[in-house]
Amino acid sequence: MTPPVLIRPARRPRLLDLCCGAGGLSMGYHLAGFDVTGVDLHPQPNYPFAFHQADALTYLTDLITTSRIREFDLVHASWPCQHFARVTAWRGSRGAHPDLLTPGRELLKATGLPWVIENVPEAPLRPDHILCGSQFGLRVRRHRLFETSWGGGGELLPPCWHPKGRNKLLAFEHKDERAYADAMGCTWMTNLEARQAVPPAYSQWIAEQFLNTDERAAA
Ligand SMILES: C[S@@+](CC[C@H](N)C(=O)[O-])C[C@H]1O[C@@H](n2cnc3c(N)ncnc32)[C@H](O)[C@@H]1O
């Protein structure tokens, strides 16, 4: 019997990236085949895709209310991590940063679309995926949690690997910041922007999980 042929829509899938920064994760979705639109509270002169400067909660509420959210196929959100991050607690200023993740998750559910949230390991996310640069052959130690609306699918990735000595992975506090940004694959950003960014390899992999899940559901 001839196997069924899956027909993809003629257009590329569209991703909305909330709190996009200079576009580390946007780039991964782009590499996986998405047309990407980013939203950030602050100007992002080096962001390489369509960009809107806005508060992400307000912007998303407006898209839902006007039904323009239907222009997208997937919504990603990297709500600011300072409220949860251990490094903010060390500085004693966690309370100065609002929790956007909790109301943000409710809004993502209200979109009716599939969604992805990324944050630091300390954040209250369901750990559908915990990713590290070493799993993608990057010389970077940067753990990030991902919660997705479709849950973890048990996909195989090699375990993370943190060698010592000469082959040590580069970390956030590496003294040559340019080397760290480049090792993450964020070559178009300034060092300052890269300090906030996440390697594109992570979101390229998440996007591929989404496209595979979507394709399985269509079949
Ligand atoms: C961790 S960074 C995102 C990094 C990005 N995912 C990347 O890989 O390059 C979080 C971003 O949230 C933005 N941000 C903070 N509050 C925001 C808000 N209320 N609305 C939109 N963006 C916000 C910050 O300006 C910052 O760029």
Side-chain angles (χ1 to χ4, degrees):
M1 199 175 90
T2 321
V5 179
L6 294 177
I7 302 169
R8 278 199 175 281
R11 65 171 179 79
R12 285 158 64 89
R14 293 180 192 141
L15 174 95
L16 176 65
D17 187 1
L18 301 169
C19 308
C20 61
L25 291 178
S26 289
M27 182 58 81
Y29 285 107
H30 165 76
L31 293 174
F34 282 79
D35 277 342
V36 180
T37 301
V39 177
D40 201 281
L41 192 58
H42 301 291
Q44 298 294 343
N46 292 321
Y47 186 74
F49 308 110
F51 177 73
H52 299 281
Q53 186 181 351
D55 169 68
L57 290 176
T58 310
Y59 192 86
L60 185 55
T61 304
D62 186 50
L63 286 184
I64 295 169
T65 314
T66 58
S67 299
R68 283 184 297 133
I69 193 66
R70 294 201 198 118
E71 292 168 15
F72 297 95
D73 300 288
L74 178 63
V75 186
H76 174 102
S78 291
W79 307 111
C81 62
Q82 287 87 344
H83 184 79
F84 311 104
R86 205 167 296 128
V87 64
T88 322
W90 289 337
R91 291 181 189 138
S93 58
R94 253 183 188 166
H97 300 277
D99 167 17
L100 300 191
L101 192 158
T102 306
R105 184 196 278 111
E106 292 311 307
L107 269 185
L108 288 171
K109 288 180 182 169
T111 63
L113 293 177
W115 49 261
V116 179
I117 306 176
E118 170 274 329
N119 221 286
V120 292
E122 305 92 286
L125 288 184
R126 186 183 62 219
D128 292 327
H129 302 288
I130 306 174
L131 301 181
C132 171
S134 61
Q135 294 172 292
F136 299 95
L138 303 176
R139 204 181 152 213
V140 167
R141 194 184 76 225
R142 195 161 179 72
H143 291 178
R144 286 294 180 270
L145 289 185
F146 289 80
E147 178 177 326
T148 68
S149 59
W150 63 93
E155 301 83 6
L156 289 179
L157 266 179
C160 62
W161 182 60
H162 300 167
K164 304 237 183 301
R166 213 158 37 94
N167 295 324
K168 200 169 176 263
L169 300 182
L170 307 185
F172 173 64
E173 62 280 3
H174 188 71
K175 58 182 183 310
D176 180 350
E177 291 190 32
R178 188 68 256 159
Y180 181 60
D182 290 349
M184 288 207 299
C186 293
T187 50
W188 69 96
M189 294 182 191
T190 64
N191 294 343
L192 200 60
E193 289 165 340
R195 286 171 80 96
Q196 294 223 34
V198 181
Y202 296 12
S203 49
Q204 185 173 353
W205 186 83
I206 292 283
E208 283 159 4
Q209 304 318 307
F210 166 72
L211 293 171
N212 289 340
T213 307
D214 206 35
E215 210 156 79
R216 278 201 301 272

